[in-house]
Amino acid sequence: MAGLSIAQLLQVLLEHFGPQNWWPAETPFEVCVGAVLTQNTTWENASRAVGNLKKANLLTPEALSSTDERELQNLIKPAGFFRQKARYLKELSRFVVKEGGIEGLKAQPLKVLRPKLLNVKGIGPETADSILLYALDKPSFVVDKYTKRLLYRLGVLEGESVSYNRVKALVEGEIPPTEEHLKEYKELHALIVELCKRYCKTRPNCRECPLRELCYNQHNP
């Protein structure tokens, strides 16, 4: 990355965009719900579905786990894959209730909690880490397609198909997953998303990108 560390990348993005203060939600459980609903869709679509659940007073694990599945499907239709996501939300809600609610989850160490989340139907690594980081305040870095795209174009990865765990290990190897780095993890993920939505798109707008002088992609098209 032209000698640029992950910590320096964070600093450059912070100076350009400022703090993002993610995740946009009123409660930790709303973050959990949003993390499921945003799978394979835009945040705008997921947000509409979250709004429907909020109006129906279903944004608690107890209410969501006991609601009629067909009713739930209708409410989350804006997020797409609504039958599948309704099942996932029910499973996640039951898991949260069983584990003693959000506070019960927060009380568990990361190394115990992450495998438990990954055993919940519909919860893959990206969704699990989003929940851990933004709902439960656990230092577990979130990798998404934007992370892979950016690190590939910066010359860190040899391709965008590199495994989730490898990219996660790379970032966490430079910024260790400790409580003192929790805020940095939250900001780094959010800032990468912002950069890729604005500049580092499928067809990149390199001219205005704050990383243009550091980008391997520009010199090796």
Side-chain angles (χ1 to χ4, degrees), residues 70-128:
R70 188 157 295 186
E71 178 189 353
L72 180 55
Q73 290 174 6
N74 288 330
L75 290 168
I76 66 171
K77 273 186 179 178
F81 302 97
F82 55 89
R83 293 184 184 87
Q84 177 178 290
K85 289 180 180 179
R87 291 196 302 271
Y88 295 168
L89 287 175
K90 298 276 279 185
E91 290 288 333
L92 177 61
S93 300
R94 292 183 188 117
F95 169 77
V96 174
V97 171
K98 179 187 170 192
E99 296 291 326
I102 293 296
E103 292 308 313
L105 293 173
K106 284 185 174 183
Q108 300 180 45
L110 175 59
K111 64 181 180 181
V112 171
L113 189 51
R114 190 171 190 267
K116 282 186 179 182
L117 267 173
L118 289 171
N119 279 329
V120 177
K121 188 174 181 62
I123 306 298
E126 183 180 339
T127 304

Side-chain angles (χ1 to χ4, degrees), residues 38 41-49 78 197:
T38 198
T41 192
T42 64
W43 173 248
E44 290 73 19
N45 289 338
S47 183
R48 284 197 287 272
K197 284 186 173 180

Side-chain angles (χ1 to χ4, degrees), residues 164-179:
Y164 187 100
N165 287 340
R166 183 176 165 198
V167 181
K168 182 178 174 67
L170 184 154
V171 174
E172 294 186 353
E174 289 202 35
I175 302 178
T178 59
E179 291 297 323

Side-chain angles (χ1 to χ4, degrees), residues 141-190:
F141 187 71
V142 182
V143 176
D144 61 5
K145 65 179 181 180
Y146 295 134
T147 313
K148 293 183 179 183
R149 178 192 298 169
L150 176 62
L151 294 184
Y152 166 60
R153 289 177 175 174
L154 289 173
V156 177
L157 304 176
E158 64 272 17
E160 294 184 46
S161 60
V162 173
S163 75
Y164 187 100
N165 287 340
R166 183 176 165 198
V167 181
K168 182 178 174 67
L170 184 154
V171 174
E172 294 186 353
E174 289 202 35
I175 302 178
T178 59
E179 291 297 323
E180 66 182 298
H181 294 130
L182 176 64
K183 187 173 181 180
E184 290 173 302
Y185 276 21
K186 290 183 177 183
E187 286 297 340
L188 180 58
H189 174 66

Side-chain angles (χ1 to χ4, degrees), residues 6-22 134 141-142 144 146-147 150 183-200 209-211:
I6 297 293
Q8 288 169 327
L9 170 64
L10 171 60
Q11 191 57 41
V12 170
L13 295 180
L14 268 174
E15 288 174 1
H16 185 81
F17 294 112
Q20 300 299 292
N21 299 313
W22 263 31
Y134 292 106
F141 187 71
V142 182
D144 61 5
Y146 295 134
T147 313
L150 176 62
K183 187 173 181 180
E184 290 173 302
Y185 276 21
K186 290 183 177 183
E187 286 297 340
L188 180 58
H189 174 66
L191 286 161
I192 288 173
V193 171
E194 188 64 20
L195 179 87
C196 289
K197 284 186 173 180
R198 288 205 203 180
Y199 306 119
C200 202
C209 179
L211 300 174

